[in-house]
Amino acid sequence: MPEIHVTDREGNKHTLDAPNGEPLMETLRDQDMDVEGICGGQCACGTCHVYVGEEWAAKLPAREEDEDDMLEAIEDMVEVKKTSRLSCQIEMSDSLAGLTVEVAPEF
Amino acid sequence: MSQTQQAQPEIKLGSAHLERCPFPIPMGWYFVDYSKNLAKEEIRNIDILDQEWVLFRTEAGKVGMTDPYCPHLGAHLGHGGKVCGELLRCPFHHWKYDTAGWNKDIPYGKVAPPVVKKKPILRTLPCEEHWGMIWCWYHPAALPPEWQLPSIPELEDTENFIEPATGHWDTHTAVQEIGENAVDFAHLKFLHGEKEIPPAEYSFNWPHYKIDMNNGYIVGESHGPGLNVYKFTHEGVVATMVNYTVPITKELSKINMSFTHPKFEAGTKEAMVAEHLVKHMVGEADGEESAGFESVDFIVWNNKKYRPNPLLCDGDGPILQYRKWFKKFYAGAEDEAKV
């Protein structure tokens, strides 16, 4: 099971085990990183927004249209960066071992 | 054939594998109700087209017809829902929808799910009102109308035509089977008892077909499975029968009809001919030798099975041509082997 490095909203750093095949959102939600993931992965709520480490941004599969639309919908309320992702759209696998993410601010 | 090689019945003509109505609901414009039966801001649950729908009329008078269950958390919009201006409000969390199924309000989220700005999220049926009736467009794949409802002058010119008489009958079969009667000329002699099989001319031009029976006595045009207009002409008087049948379920249809003719002065010959024609259409004419559809067709429809490969003979009408024409209304939703 890959390990990931998470910075929470208070700036605290955590190393978490992220089960393979599960969306990153569920790891963050279930391990109390204050990520809600309300809509369950439909790109409908924007509550699992994270910034991934710059070195990881290019390695992840590109955003699809639904994810882009949701990020666009929240950009008046929260900073959306090039490294912004909805963590529900990132499926964990060994190739993502060492992934660094920062939980984005609430809106 | 020698006695040792006795003919066996064709196994495929057995009936055990047959179904009564192996058809999906066909695309078309369908009668929903008379306009006067739906008041402004009224909401009603109705069962037609093989499912339940919520029928409502907005404050401005627009008719909406929607799938009952809210895309949010599945509440039934027709049990506790409310018409708010031009929108239908779900009772559960007050999400609001317009008559085309677009979500127009979520009263608490900071940001609406992006999908709600891109497309309607509730399945609704396009509705129109003509001739004092509410009509909806149904398509098996929820696609937009493929044709428009026609003009029917006899139902529009209220100055020169009588207020139509109406009739309604439930029959336990599918609309394809009911419509097949119109091209089954031979049954008119044997089931209905007409003197002869009437001569007929016909042309199929999807979504329409035209038919002319007995050299202009009955001239009909179909506008898809849900609307047929027939004109009966006798001694120069033309009476009109409008048939608007609706599938209630796959095996139950409601036949609706309106009958009208030009206004004639009471007691004139024309008035009597027109009255007789209308009676003939419903099969109630005095001294008539042929039987009306209610007394004979229903017995067949309510009990028959559908043969996708019928054994036809010369003298039968263009049954297979009709079926090929009709199949297009299923838009690929049909089981090829059964239909």
Side-chain angles (χ1 to χ4, degrees), chain A residues 27-84:
Chain A
T27 298
L28 300 175
R29 180 191 68 191
D30 297 348
Q31 297 191 49
D32 303 322
M33 293 294 107
D34 208 17
V35 162
E36 291 181 302
I38 295 286
C39 77
Q42 295 188 72
C43 298
C45 72
T47 63
C48 68
H49 179 202
V50 297
Y51 306 119
V52 299
E54 275 186 31
E55 70 279 21
W56 287 95
K59 291 185 199 167
L60 294 169
R63 296 176 196 150
E64 290 191 18
E65 193 187 345
D66 287 352
E67 186 177 352
D68 271 335
D69 289 343
M70 191 66 237
L71 288 169
E72 199 184 311
I74 60 174
E75 67 189 1
D76 290 343
M77 296 179 287
V78 64
E79 188 186 0
V80 173
K81 306 178 186 177
K82 279 187 180 157
T83 58
S84 284

Side-chain angles (χ1 to χ4, degrees), chain B residues 178-198:
Chain B
I178 297 168
E180 193 166 289
N181 254 28
V183 296
D184 179 1
F185 310 126
H187 96 289
L188 294 170
K189 176 173 179 180
F190 302 100
L191 185 67
H192 296 264
E194 299 233 352
K195 286 195 189 82
E196 293 303 331
I197 298 175

Side-chain angles (χ1 to χ4, degrees), chain B residues 92-114:
Chain B
F92 209 2
H93 303 84
H94 289 194
W95 288 34
K96 289 184 196 145
Y97 302 92
D98 70 10
T99 55
W102 289 82
N103 175 282
K104 292 293 186 181
D105 187 32
I106 299 171
Y108 52 90
K110 292 195 193 80
V111 53

